[in-house]
Amino acid sequence: MASSVIRVGIIGADTKASWAGASHIPALAAQPQLVLAAVATRRAESAREAAELFGAERWYADPYELISDPSIDLVTVAVKVPAHRELVLAALAAGKAVYSESPLGAGVAQTEEMAAAAGTLHTAIGLQGSLNPSVRRAAEVIAQGRLGRLLSARVCEFQ
């Protein structure tokens, strides 16, 4: 990443139900040194739609093609946790900086494996869920005691 602009590729940038669209894309847009260079989803149609909606230069239906793109400096992994390991390890093997959503792995062993593979590459694990307006509002309502004594909770995303 020798240039002053960091070219980012986001894996999991679906337009309808993704943390990337709700959080990563707006965060990237607010940083002049970051450019959304590519997006990847599981299907060509949704990848193309994501590129158009989010203003990415390219799109991929195969996340490994995004990872192997020599113009990508930083790979963001914003998919479900079971897919983190393979994608993070592939990006690290390609010499890319990696940003992955939390939790990093599906267990301690996976997390340790990915941490060891990082070596000296730039990496980060996102914990931005606490900044989500819905999460903040729920925490406020709970802290005020408006729901009584909570014994359990189930969190669902409605579309």
Side-chain angles (χ1 to χ4, degrees), residues 12-121:
D14 190 273
T15 62
K16 294 178 179 57
S18 78
W19 186 246
S23 184
H24 293 283
I25 304 297
L28 281 174
Q31 301 299 317
Q33 72 274 23
L34 301 176
V35 172
L36 180 59
V39 295
T41 67
R42 290 177 285 186
R43 294 182 358 259
E45 181 181 327
S46 63
R48 188 178 322 109
E49 288 174 7
E52 289 172 11
L53 180 67
F54 300 136
E57 298 167 5
R58 285 179 308 290
W59 57 268
Y60 297 97
D62 180 346
Y64 297 100
E65 288 182 26
L66 181 148
I67 289 169
S68 66
D69 181 335
S71 74
I72 301 297
D73 302 309
L74 168 69
V75 174
T76 294
V77 178
V79 297
K80 293 181 180 174
V81 175
H84 283 191
R85 179 184 173 275
E86 294 302 321
L87 294 169
V88 167
L89 289 175
L92 292 171
K96 309 289 181 169
V98 175
Y99 178 95
S100 179
E101 276 302 324
S102 173
L104 180 57
V108 174
Q110 281 190 8
T111 301
E112 289 174 340
E113 177 186 16
M114 288 182 271
T120 60
L121 292 169

